[in-house]
Amino acid sequence: MTEHTACTTDGHGANAHPAWLAHHFHSARQQYESGKLGIWIFLLTEVLFFSGLFCAYAVYRANHPAVFVDGHHLLSTPLGAINTIVLIFSSLTMAWAVRCTQVDQRKAAAVLLAVTLLCAGTFLVVKGFEYHHKWKHGLVPAHEFAPDEQYLESRIGAHEDGSTLGRDPAQRVRNVRTFLGIYFGMTGLHALHVVAGIIAIVWVLRRTVRGDFNRQYFGPVDFVGLYWHLVDLIWIYLFPLLYLIH
Amino acid sequence: MSDSTTTPQTETHDGDHGWIHIVPARVLLAVFAALILLTLVTVAVTWVDLGDLNLWIAMFIATVKASLVALYFMHLRYDKSFCTIVFLASLVFVFLFIGVVLLDTLQYQPDIQQWQRDQLP
């Protein structure tokens, strides 16, 4: 109970408040709800931010479905599925860390945040392997694009579900180039969000270990959690849209 | 560390503790199990050829998963509805954005295809 009552002694007198309660807030509840509204408005801007890429995806897919049928043969569904499960698991550990913080289980919260970090790292490593595999075959966006045609033939040519355009090697290369632009754009922006999430989780983990939080003050863990769940939520859409094309 | 049975209400400004909702552990686990199950289902559905329906089924499953994450992991179900309104507001504008752009791009597609045919020798 020490930290709950650790009041500032800087001359607040009768208005003394705990160190974790900012002076301009009336109560712990008001502080928490203000923070919550703030993070939700931030998440709103994040959704709109990603919607630009989803819009580009929708426009290309509606007009040129063959781009996606051809392109998705370059992706590994098992790796995508593993990463989906890793992210969902990390959402569980994050939500559980919030719960532990709320009931003053500081050690458990720290362990769960560390597991969340581990999952985030795993996600990026798997993503790194996927990117590397494409890089090796010249399948990179923009100016560096220099596809290994034999590789494309082996990955795409073997499938019967490609459109008639997709069987024309020149058109196939153009399709793959468009697909990779969208793929790297969407997964790259998502991966940047995972990196930002890692930084944010390290920050709350450090504060958890230091003992900054208690059952009245757990907002930062909760808000970082909300951001992390949004990163998971976006991946929930990216996985079927990029990997599971029929 | 203190716990609720031994600690008097120590917050300085308000006495009510009811504003904090703690999601039960079994709810977290059930949501996790459902999300994993739905991930497996969405992968399995691609093994069956259902034509255009495949995309809509995949999007439907993704939306169910997203709703589970938002309602339970992100506590929207237990929060003030204003947070849900903020979130849904963003989605309304996303649909508006993508919907109107799609209407426009599909409108001009026949002209583009005609132009491409005209370019052929």
PDB file of all heavy atoms in Angstrom, chain A residues 17-50:
ATOM      1  N   HIS A  17      -2.041  14.601  -3.697  1.00  0.00           N
ATOM      2  CA  HIS A  17      -2.467  13.493  -4.546  1.00  0.00           C
ATOM      3  C   HIS A  17      -1.300  12.544  -4.724  1.00  0.00           C
ATOM      4  O   HIS A  17      -0.141  12.949  -4.574  1.00  0.00           O
ATOM      5  CB  HIS A  17      -2.963  14.026  -5.892  1.00  0.00           C
ATOM      6  CG  HIS A  17      -1.968  14.881  -6.613  1.00  0.00           C
ATOM      7  ND1 HIS A  17      -0.908  14.360  -7.285  1.00  0.00           N
ATOM      8  CD2 HIS A  17      -1.877  16.232  -6.718  1.00  0.00           C
ATOM      9  CE1 HIS A  17      -0.198  15.342  -7.811  1.00  0.00           C
ATOM     10  NE2 HIS A  17      -0.746  16.497  -7.467  1.00  0.00           N
ATOM     11  N   PRO A  18      -1.599  11.277  -5.076  1.00  0.00           N
ATOM     12  CA  PRO A  18      -0.510  10.330  -5.276  1.00  0.00           C
ATOM     13  C   PRO A  18       0.376  10.778  -6.442  1.00  0.00           C
ATOM     14  O   PRO A  18      -0.098  11.498  -7.326  1.00  0.00           O
ATOM     15  CB  PRO A  18      -1.227   9.022  -5.645  1.00  0.00           C
ATOM     16  CG  PRO A  18      -2.653   9.218  -5.303  1.00  0.00           C
ATOM     17  CD  PRO A  18      -2.918  10.683  -5.324  1.00  0.00           C
ATOM     18  N   ALA A  19       1.627  10.321  -6.431  1.00  0.00           N
ATOM     19  CA  ALA A  19       2.573  10.742  -7.468  1.00  0.00           C
ATOM     20  C   ALA A  19       2.077  10.367  -8.859  1.00  0.00           C
ATOM     21  O   ALA A  19       2.351  11.059  -9.832  1.00  0.00           O
ATOM     22  CB  ALA A  19       3.933  10.110  -7.204  1.00  0.00           C
ATOM     23  N   TRP A  20       1.350   9.238  -8.947  1.00  0.00           N
ATOM     24  CA  TRP A  20       0.923   8.778 -10.274  1.00  0.00           C
ATOM     25  C   TRP A  20      -0.303   9.511 -10.799  1.00  0.00           C
ATOM     26  O   TRP A  20      -0.687   9.344 -11.952  1.00  0.00           O
ATOM     27  CB  TRP A  20       0.666   7.268 -10.271  1.00  0.00           C
ATOM     28  CG  TRP A  20      -0.149   6.764  -9.109  1.00  0.00           C
ATOM     29  CD1 TRP A  20       0.325   6.221  -7.949  1.00  0.00           C
ATOM     30  CD2 TRP A  20      -1.580   6.766  -8.993  1.00  0.00           C
ATOM     31  NE1 TRP A  20      -0.721   5.888  -7.119  1.00  0.00           N
ATOM     32  CE2 TRP A  20      -1.894   6.206  -7.731  1.00  0.00           C
ATOM     33  CE3 TRP A  20      -2.612   7.184  -9.824  1.00  0.00           C
ATOM     34  CZ2 TRP A  20      -3.202   6.054  -7.284  1.00  0.00           C
ATOM     35  CZ3 TRP A  20      -3.924   7.037  -9.376  1.00  0.00           C
ATOM     36  CH2 TRP A  20      -4.204   6.476  -8.114  1.00  0.00           C
ATOM     37  N   LEU A  21      -0.948  10.299  -9.940  1.00  0.00           N
ATOM     38  CA  LEU A  21      -2.130  11.026 -10.403  1.00  0.00           C
ATOM     39  C   LEU A  21      -1.722  12.440 -10.770  1.00  0.00           C
ATOM     40  O   LEU A  21      -1.313  13.220  -9.913  1.00  0.00           O
ATOM     41  CB  LEU A  21      -3.200  11.039  -9.302  1.00  0.00           C
ATOM     42  CG  LEU A  21      -4.512  11.745  -9.661  1.00  0.00           C
ATOM     43  CD1 LEU A  21      -5.202  11.077 -10.841  1.00  0.00           C
ATOM     44  CD2 LEU A  21      -5.442  11.772  -8.461  1.00  0.00           C
ATOM     45  N   ALA A  22      -1.829  12.742 -12.065  1.00  0.00           N
ATOM     46  CA  ALA A  22      -1.406  14.072 -12.508  1.00  0.00           C
ATOM     47  C   ALA A  22      -2.252  15.132 -11.817  1.00  0.00           C
ATOM     48  O   ALA A  22      -3.457  14.943 -11.587  1.00  0.00           O
ATOM     49  CB  ALA A  22      -1.532  14.183 -14.020  1.00  0.00           C
ATOM     50  N   HIS A  23      -1.613  16.241 -11.499  1.00  0.00           N
ATOM     51  CA  HIS A  23      -2.239  17.270 -10.684  1.00  0.00           C
ATOM     52  C   HIS A  23      -3.545  17.799 -11.274  1.00  0.00           C
ATOM     53  O   HIS A  23      -4.474  18.142 -10.540  1.00  0.00           O
ATOM     54  CB  HIS A  23      -1.238  18.425 -10.512  1.00  0.00           C
ATOM     55  CG  HIS A  23      -1.749  19.513  -9.631  1.00  0.00           C
ATOM     56  ND1 HIS A  23      -1.917  19.346  -8.276  1.00  0.00           N
ATOM     57  CD2 HIS A  23      -2.145  20.778  -9.924  1.00  0.00           C
ATOM     58  CE1 HIS A  23      -2.388  20.476  -7.762  1.00  0.00           C
ATOM     59  NE2 HIS A  23      -2.530  21.357  -8.742  1.00  0.00           N
ATOM     60  N   HIS A  24      -3.583  17.876 -12.616  1.00  0.00           N
ATOM     61  CA  HIS A  24      -4.753  18.486 -13.236  1.00  0.00           C
ATOM     62  C   HIS A  24      -5.957  17.563 -13.335  1.00  0.00           C
ATOM     63  O   HIS A  24      -6.988  17.962 -13.854  1.00  0.00           O
ATOM     64  CB  HIS A  24      -4.402  19.032 -14.630  1.00  0.00           C
ATOM     65  CG  HIS A  24      -3.709  18.037 -15.501  1.00  0.00           C
ATOM     66  ND1 HIS A  24      -2.373  17.745 -15.367  1.00  0.00           N
ATOM     67  CD2 HIS A  24      -4.176  17.259 -16.503  1.00  0.00           C
ATOM     68  CE1 HIS A  24      -2.037  16.831 -16.269  1.00  0.00           C
ATOM     69  NE2 HIS A  24      -3.110  16.519 -16.958  1.00  0.00           N
ATOM     70  N   PHE A  25      -5.830  16.320 -12.869  1.00  0.00           N
ATOM     71  CA  PHE A  25      -6.985  15.428 -12.885  1.00  0.00           C
ATOM     72  C   PHE A  25      -7.642  15.382 -11.519  1.00  0.00           C
ATOM     73  O   PHE A  25      -6.961  15.381 -10.488  1.00  0.00           O
ATOM     74  CB  PHE A  25      -6.584  14.020 -13.321  1.00  0.00           C
ATOM     75  CG  PHE A  25      -6.274  13.931 -14.791  1.00  0.00           C
ATOM     76  CD1 PHE A  25      -4.993  13.605 -15.230  1.00  0.00           C
ATOM     77  CD2 PHE A  25      -7.253  14.188 -15.745  1.00  0.00           C
ATOM     78  CE1 PHE A  25      -4.706  13.526 -16.581  1.00  0.00           C
ATOM     79  CE2 PHE A  25      -6.971  14.104 -17.101  1.00  0.00           C
ATOM     80  CZ  PHE A  25      -5.700  13.782 -17.511  1.00  0.00           C
ATOM     81  N   HIS A  26      -8.955  15.295 -11.566  1.00  0.00           N
ATOM     82  CA  HIS A  26      -9.719  15.263 -10.330  1.00  0.00           C
ATOM     83  C   HIS A  26      -9.568  13.913  -9.622  1.00  0.00           C
ATOM     84  O   HIS A  26      -9.482  13.839  -8.401  1.00  0.00           O
ATOM     85  CB  HIS A  26     -11.187  15.542 -10.648  1.00  0.00           C
ATOM     86  CG  HIS A  26     -12.107  15.338  -9.505  1.00  0.00           C
ATOM     87  ND1 HIS A  26     -12.092  16.162  -8.404  1.00  0.00           N
ATOM     88  CD2 HIS A  26     -13.044  14.391  -9.274  1.00  0.00           C
ATOM     89  CE1 HIS A  26     -13.005  15.731  -7.538  1.00  0.00           C
ATOM     90  NE2 HIS A  26     -13.588  14.663  -8.046  1.00  0.00           N
ATOM     91  N   SER A  27      -9.549  12.832 -10.426  1.00  0.00           N
ATOM     92  CA  SER A  27      -9.510  11.508  -9.811  1.00  0.00           C
ATOM     93  C   SER A  27      -8.782  10.531 -10.720  1.00  0.00           C
ATOM     94  O   SER A  27      -8.552  10.812 -11.896  1.00  0.00           O
ATOM     95  CB  SER A  27     -10.936  10.997  -9.594  1.00  0.00           C
ATOM     96  OG  SER A  27     -11.561  10.833 -10.850  1.00  0.00           O
ATOM     97  N   ALA A  28      -8.460   9.377 -10.157  1.00  0.00           N
ATOM     98  CA  ALA A  28      -7.806   8.324 -10.940  1.00  0.00           C
ATOM     99  C   ALA A  28      -8.685   7.939 -12.119  1.00  0.00           C
ATOM    100  O   ALA A  28      -8.218   7.694 -13.229  1.00  0.00           O
ATOM    101  CB  ALA A  28      -7.555   7.107 -10.056  1.00  0.00           C
ATOM    102  N   ARG A  29      -9.982   7.901 -11.854  1.00  0.00           N
ATOM    103  CA  ARG A  29     -10.927   7.523 -12.910  1.00  0.00           C
ATOM    104  C   ARG A  29     -10.907   8.529 -14.057  1.00  0.00           C
ATOM    105  O   ARG A  29     -10.872   8.148 -15.230  1.00  0.00           O
ATOM    106  CB  ARG A  29     -12.327   7.444 -12.310  1.00  0.00           C
ATOM    107  CG  ARG A  29     -13.365   7.136 -13.345  1.00  0.00           C
ATOM    108  CD  ARG A  29     -14.737   7.101 -12.729  1.00  0.00           C
ATOM    109  NE  ARG A  29     -15.672   6.564 -13.707  1.00  0.00           N
ATOM    110  CZ  ARG A  29     -16.896   6.138 -13.398  1.00  0.00           C
ATOM    111  NH1 ARG A  29     -17.305   6.161 -12.153  1.00  0.00           N
ATOM    112  NH2 ARG A  29     -17.688   5.675 -14.324  1.00  0.00           N
ATOM    113  N   GLN A  30     -10.918   9.821 -13.694  1.00  0.00           N
ATOM    114  CA  GLN A  30     -10.916  10.848 -14.737  1.00  0.00           C
ATOM    115  C   GLN A  30      -9.626  10.766 -15.550  1.00  0.00           C
ATOM    116  O   GLN A  30      -9.638  10.877 -16.780  1.00  0.00           O
ATOM    117  CB  GLN A  30     -11.051  12.233 -14.092  1.00  0.00           C
ATOM    118  CG  GLN A  30     -11.297  13.304 -15.130  1.00  0.00           C
ATOM    119  CD  GLN A  30     -11.058  14.699 -14.599  1.00  0.00           C
ATOM    120  OE1 GLN A  30     -10.284  14.910 -13.671  1.00  0.00           O
ATOM    121  NE2 GLN A  30     -11.742  15.662 -15.199  1.00  0.00           N
ATOM    122  N   GLN A  31      -8.509  10.531 -14.866  1.00  0.00           N
ATOM    123  CA  GLN A  31      -7.225  10.422 -15.565  1.00  0.00           C
ATOM    124  C   GLN A  31      -7.250   9.261 -16.545  1.00  0.00           C
ATOM    125  O   GLN A  31      -6.850   9.375 -17.699  1.00  0.00           O
ATOM    126  CB  GLN A  31      -6.104  10.232 -14.544  1.00  0.00           C
ATOM    127  CG  GLN A  31      -4.762   9.939 -15.168  1.00  0.00           C
ATOM    128  CD  GLN A  31      -3.620  10.023 -14.154  1.00  0.00           C
ATOM    129  OE1 GLN A  31      -3.103  11.082 -13.874  1.00  0.00           O
ATOM    130  NE2 GLN A  31      -3.263   8.881 -13.599  1.00  0.00           N
ATOM    131  N   TYR A  32      -7.783   8.117 -16.065  1.00  0.00           N
ATOM    132  CA  TYR A  32      -7.830   6.919 -16.902  1.00  0.00           C
ATOM    133  C   TYR A  32      -8.728   7.139 -18.115  1.00  0.00           C
ATOM    134  O   TYR A  32      -8.363   6.817 -19.243  1.00  0.00           O
ATOM    135  CB  TYR A  32      -8.331   5.744 -16.056  1.00  0.00           C
ATOM    136  CG  TYR A  32      -8.576   4.494 -16.848  1.00  0.00           C
ATOM    137  CD1 TYR A  32      -7.518   3.729 -17.319  1.00  0.00           C
ATOM    138  CD2 TYR A  32      -9.876   4.077 -17.138  1.00  0.00           C
ATOM    139  CE1 TYR A  32      -7.733   2.582 -18.057  1.00  0.00           C
ATOM    140  CE2 TYR A  32     -10.111   2.935 -17.873  1.00  0.00           C
ATOM    141  CZ  TYR A  32      -9.037   2.189 -18.337  1.00  0.00           C
ATOM    142  OH  TYR A  32      -9.269   1.065 -19.066  1.00  0.00           O
ATOM    143  N   GLU A  33      -9.896   7.704 -17.871  1.00  0.00           N
ATOM    144  CA  GLU A  33     -10.853   7.851 -18.984  1.00  0.00           C
ATOM    145  C   GLU A  33     -10.383   8.882 -20.005  1.00  0.00           C
ATOM    146  O   GLU A  33     -10.633   8.728 -21.205  1.00  0.00           O
ATOM    147  CB  GLU A  33     -12.244   8.175 -18.440  1.00  0.00           C
ATOM    148  CG  GLU A  33     -12.851   6.920 -17.816  1.00  0.00           C
ATOM    149  CD  GLU A  33     -14.226   7.123 -17.236  1.00  0.00           C
ATOM    150  OE1 GLU A  33     -14.675   8.284 -17.160  1.00  0.00           O
ATOM    151  OE2 GLU A  33     -14.840   6.109 -16.856  1.00  0.00           O
ATOM    152  N   SER A  34      -9.677   9.898 -19.552  1.00  0.00           N
ATOM    153  CA  SER A  34      -9.113  10.868 -20.499  1.00  0.00           C
ATOM    154  C   SER A  34      -8.085  10.186 -21.381  1.00  0.00           C
ATOM    155  O   SER A  34      -8.059  10.373 -22.603  1.00  0.00           O
ATOM    156  CB  SER A  34      -8.441  12.026 -19.760  1.00  0.00           C
ATOM    157  OG  SER A  34      -9.332  12.594 -18.858  1.00  0.00           O
ATOM    158  N   GLY A  35      -7.217   9.394 -20.741  1.00  0.00           N
ATOM    159  CA  GLY A  35      -6.194   8.678 -21.505  1.00  0.00           C
ATOM    160  C   GLY A  35      -6.826   7.728 -22.496  1.00  0.00           C
ATOM    161  O   GLY A  35      -6.394   7.604 -23.645  1.00  0.00           O
ATOM    162  N   LYS A  36      -7.890   7.064 -22.053  1.00  0.00           N
ATOM    163  CA  LYS A  36      -8.546   6.086 -22.920  1.00  0.00           C
ATOM    164  C   LYS A  36      -9.146   6.754 -24.153  1.00  0.00           C
ATOM    165  O   LYS A  36      -9.000   6.263 -25.273  1.00  0.00           O
ATOM    166  CB  LYS A  36      -9.644   5.383 -22.122  1.00  0.00           C
ATOM    167  CG  LYS A  36     -10.294   4.284 -22.895  1.00  0.00           C
ATOM    168  CD  LYS A  36     -10.719   3.192 -21.980  1.00  0.00           C
ATOM    169  CE  LYS A  36     -10.407   1.873 -22.605  1.00  0.00           C
ATOM    170  NZ  LYS A  36     -10.578   0.750 -21.742  1.00  0.00           N
ATOM    171  N   LEU A  37      -9.814   7.874 -23.940  1.00  0.00           N
ATOM    172  CA  LEU A  37     -10.375   8.600 -25.079  1.00  0.00           C
ATOM    173  C   LEU A  37      -9.251   9.012 -26.027  1.00  0.00           C
ATOM    174  O   LEU A  37      -9.364   8.868 -27.251  1.00  0.00           O
ATOM    175  CB  LEU A  37     -11.151   9.831 -24.596  1.00  0.00           C
ATOM    176  CG  LEU A  37     -11.773  10.683 -25.700  1.00  0.00           C
ATOM    177  CD1 LEU A  37     -12.769   9.870 -26.509  1.00  0.00           C
ATOM    178  CD2 LEU A  37     -12.451  11.914 -25.121  1.00  0.00           C
ATOM    179  N   GLY A  38      -8.148   9.472 -25.446  1.00  0.00           N
ATOM    180  CA  GLY A  38      -7.009   9.894 -26.261  1.00  0.00           C
ATOM    181  C   GLY A  38      -6.489   8.758 -27.122  1.00  0.00           C
ATOM    182  O   GLY A  38      -6.288   8.925 -28.334  1.00  0.00           O
ATOM    183  N   ILE A  39      -6.299   7.587 -26.533  1.00  0.00           N
ATOM    184  CA  ILE A  39      -5.730   6.479 -27.308  1.00  0.00           C
ATOM    185  C   ILE A  39      -6.722   6.022 -28.378  1.00  0.00           C
ATOM    186  O   ILE A  39      -6.330   5.668 -29.489  1.00  0.00           O
ATOM    187  CB  ILE A  39      -5.262   5.311 -26.400  1.00  0.00           C
ATOM    188  CG1 ILE A  39      -4.416   4.317 -27.189  1.00  0.00           C
ATOM    189  CG2 ILE A  39      -6.413   4.561 -25.786  1.00  0.00           C
ATOM    190  CD1 ILE A  39      -3.019   4.761 -27.463  1.00  0.00           C
ATOM    191  N   TRP A  40      -8.025   6.060 -28.070  1.00  0.00           N
ATOM    192  CA  TRP A  40      -8.996   5.631 -29.089  1.00  0.00           C
ATOM    193  C   TRP A  40      -9.014   6.586 -30.264  1.00  0.00           C
ATOM    194  O   TRP A  40      -9.157   6.168 -31.419  1.00  0.00           O
ATOM    195  CB  TRP A  40     -10.395   5.456 -28.478  1.00  0.00           C
ATOM    196  CG  TRP A  40     -10.579   4.053 -27.979  1.00  0.00           C
ATOM    197  CD1 TRP A  40     -10.619   3.640 -26.679  1.00  0.00           C
ATOM    198  CD2 TRP A  40     -10.695   2.863 -28.769  1.00  0.00           C
ATOM    199  NE1 TRP A  40     -10.749   2.278 -26.620  1.00  0.00           N
ATOM    200  CE2 TRP A  40     -10.811   1.781 -27.879  1.00  0.00           C
ATOM    201  CE3 TRP A  40     -10.719   2.613 -30.142  1.00  0.00           C
ATOM    202  CZ2 TRP A  40     -10.940   0.454 -28.324  1.00  0.00           C
ATOM    203  CZ3 TRP A  40     -10.848   1.297 -30.582  1.00  0.00           C
ATOM    204  CH2 TRP A  40     -10.965   0.236 -29.675  1.00  0.00           C
ATOM    205  N   ILE A  41      -8.858   7.872 -29.990  1.00  0.00           N
ATOM    206  CA  ILE A  41      -8.811   8.824 -31.108  1.00  0.00           C
ATOM    207  C   ILE A  41      -7.543   8.585 -31.924  1.00  0.00           C
ATOM    208  O   ILE A  41      -7.552   8.647 -33.153  1.00  0.00           O
ATOM    209  CB  ILE A  41      -8.930  10.271 -30.581  1.00  0.00           C
ATOM    210  CG1 ILE A  41     -10.354  10.482 -30.083  1.00  0.00           C
ATOM    211  CG2 ILE A  41      -8.577  11.286 -31.663  1.00  0.00           C
ATOM    212  CD1 ILE A  41     -10.593  11.783 -29.384  1.00  0.00           C
ATOM    213  N   PHE A  42      -6.450   8.257 -31.246  1.00  0.00           N
ATOM    214  CA  PHE A  42      -5.224   7.906 -31.977  1.00  0.00           C
ATOM    215  C   PHE A  42      -5.450   6.663 -32.842  1.00  0.00           C
ATOM    216  O   PHE A  42      -5.047   6.617 -34.006  1.00  0.00           O
ATOM    217  CB  PHE A  42      -4.076   7.685 -30.993  1.00  0.00           C
ATOM    218  CG  PHE A  42      -2.844   7.107 -31.635  1.00  0.00           C
ATOM    219  CD1 PHE A  42      -2.118   7.843 -32.553  1.00  0.00           C
ATOM    220  CD2 PHE A  42      -2.433   5.819 -31.349  1.00  0.00           C
ATOM    221  CE1 PHE A  42      -1.000   7.303 -33.172  1.00  0.00           C
ATOM    222  CE2 PHE A  42      -1.311   5.266 -31.954  1.00  0.00           C
ATOM    223  CZ  PHE A  42      -0.600   6.016 -32.868  1.00  0.00           C
ATOM    224  N   LEU A  43      -6.125   5.653 -32.272  1.00  0.00           N
ATOM    225  CA  LEU A  43      -6.385   4.428 -33.048  1.00  0.00           C
ATOM    226  C   LEU A  43      -7.262   4.737 -34.260  1.00  0.00           C
ATOM    227  O   LEU A  43      -7.086   4.153 -35.337  1.00  0.00           O
ATOM    228  CB  LEU A  43      -7.045   3.356 -32.177  1.00  0.00           C
ATOM    229  CG  LEU A  43      -6.203   2.809 -31.023  1.00  0.00           C
ATOM    230  CD1 LEU A  43      -6.920   1.649 -30.348  1.00  0.00           C
ATOM    231  CD2 LEU A  43      -4.823   2.372 -31.488  1.00  0.00           C
ATOM    232  N   LEU A  44      -8.193   5.674 -34.099  1.00  0.00           N
ATOM    233  CA  LEU A  44      -9.033   6.101 -35.223  1.00  0.00           C
ATOM    234  C   LEU A  44      -8.145   6.625 -36.356  1.00  0.00           C
ATOM    235  O   LEU A  44      -8.322   6.257 -37.522  1.00  0.00           O
ATOM    236  CB  LEU A  44     -10.012   7.167 -34.738  1.00  0.00           C
ATOM    237  CG  LEU A  44     -10.911   7.881 -35.756  1.00  0.00           C
ATOM    238  CD1 LEU A  44     -12.266   8.160 -35.118  1.00  0.00           C
ATOM    239  CD2 LEU A  44     -10.335   9.204 -36.208  1.00  0.00           C
ATOM    240  N   THR A  45      -7.168   7.452 -36.015  1.00  0.00           N
ATOM    241  CA  THR A  45      -6.285   7.989 -37.061  1.00  0.00           C
ATOM    242  C   THR A  45      -5.448   6.868 -37.680  1.00  0.00           C
ATOM    243  O   THR A  45      -5.138   6.893 -38.866  1.00  0.00           O
ATOM    244  CB  THR A  45      -5.342   9.080 -36.525  1.00  0.00           C
ATOM    245  OG1 THR A  45      -4.410   8.506 -35.612  1.00  0.00           O
ATOM    246  CG2 THR A  45      -6.093  10.193 -35.848  1.00  0.00           C
ATOM    247  N   GLU A  46      -5.098   5.856 -36.878  1.00  0.00           N
ATOM    248  CA  GLU A  46      -4.331   4.727 -37.396  1.00  0.00           C
ATOM    249  C   GLU A  46      -5.147   3.934 -38.419  1.00  0.00           C
ATOM    250  O   GLU A  46      -4.623   3.512 -39.458  1.00  0.00           O
ATOM    251  CB  GLU A  46      -3.922   3.801 -36.251  1.00  0.00           C
ATOM    252  CG  GLU A  46      -2.809   4.328 -35.378  1.00  0.00           C
ATOM    253  CD  GLU A  46      -1.459   4.171 -36.050  1.00  0.00           C
ATOM    254  OE1 GLU A  46      -1.063   5.104 -36.762  1.00  0.00           O
ATOM    255  OE2 GLU A  46      -0.826   3.132 -35.867  1.00  0.00           O
ATOM    256  N   VAL A  47      -6.421   3.722 -38.100  1.00  0.00           N
ATOM    257  CA  VAL A  47      -7.298   2.993 -39.021  1.00  0.00           C
ATOM    258  C   VAL A  47      -7.385   3.750 -40.346  1.00  0.00           C
ATOM    259  O   VAL A  47      -7.263   3.176 -41.436  1.00  0.00           O
ATOM    260  CB  VAL A  47      -8.701   2.793 -38.399  1.00  0.00           C
ATOM    261  CG1 VAL A  47      -9.682   2.275 -39.436  1.00  0.00           C
ATOM    262  CG2 VAL A  47      -8.638   1.838 -37.219  1.00  0.00           C
ATOM    263  N   LEU A  48      -7.550   5.079 -40.248  1.00  0.00           N
ATOM    264  CA  LEU A  48      -7.654   5.883 -41.470  1.00  0.00           C
ATOM    265  C   LEU A  48      -6.337   5.866 -42.237  1.00  0.00           C
ATOM    266  O   LEU A  48      -6.310   5.831 -43.471  1.00  0.00           O
ATOM    267  CB  LEU A  48      -8.059   7.317 -41.122  1.00  0.00           C
ATOM    268  CG  LEU A  48      -9.450   7.456 -40.496  1.00  0.00           C
ATOM    269  CD1 LEU A  48      -9.724   8.904 -40.135  1.00  0.00           C
ATOM    270  CD2 LEU A  48     -10.525   6.936 -41.428  1.00  0.00           C
ATOM    271  N   PHE A  49      -5.227   5.875 -41.509  1.00  0.00           N
ATOM    272  CA  PHE A  49      -3.899   5.825 -42.097  1.00  0.00           C
ATOM    273  C   PHE A  49      -3.743   4.555 -42.949  1.00  0.00           C
ATOM    274  O   PHE A  49      -3.372   4.597 -44.121  1.00  0.00           O
ATOM    275  CB  PHE A  49      -2.901   5.853 -40.936  1.00  0.00           C
ATOM    276  CG  PHE A  49      -1.444   5.815 -41.307  1.00  0.00           C
ATOM    277  CD1 PHE A  49      -0.978   6.371 -42.475  1.00  0.00           C
ATOM    278  CD2 PHE A  49      -0.528   5.246 -40.437  1.00  0.00           C
ATOM    279  CE1 PHE A  49       0.364   6.341 -42.785  1.00  0.00           C
ATOM    280  CE2 PHE A  49       0.814   5.217 -40.737  1.00  0.00           C
ATOM    281  CZ  PHE A  49       1.263   5.756 -41.919  1.00  0.00           C
ATOM    282  N   PHE A  50      -4.109   3.417 -42.352  1.00  0.00           N
ATOM    283  CA  PHE A  50      -3.997   2.147 -43.081  1.00  0.00           C
ATOM    284  C   PHE A  50      -5.015   2.058 -44.211  1.00  0.00           C
ATOM    285  O   PHE A  50      -4.804   1.348 -45.191  1.00  0.00           O
ATOM    286  CB  PHE A  50      -4.196   0.969 -42.123  1.00  0.00           C
ATOM    287  CG  PHE A  50      -2.909   0.461 -41.541  1.00  0.00           C
ATOM    288  CD1 PHE A  50      -2.475   0.881 -40.295  1.00  0.00           C
ATOM    289  CD2 PHE A  50      -2.120  -0.432 -42.247  1.00  0.00           C
ATOM    290  CE1 PHE A  50      -1.278   0.436 -39.766  1.00  0.00           C
ATOM    291  CE2 PHE A  50      -0.924  -0.891 -41.720  1.00  0.00           C
ATOM    292  CZ  PHE A  50      -0.501  -0.452 -40.477  1.00  0.00           C
TER     293      PHE A  50
END
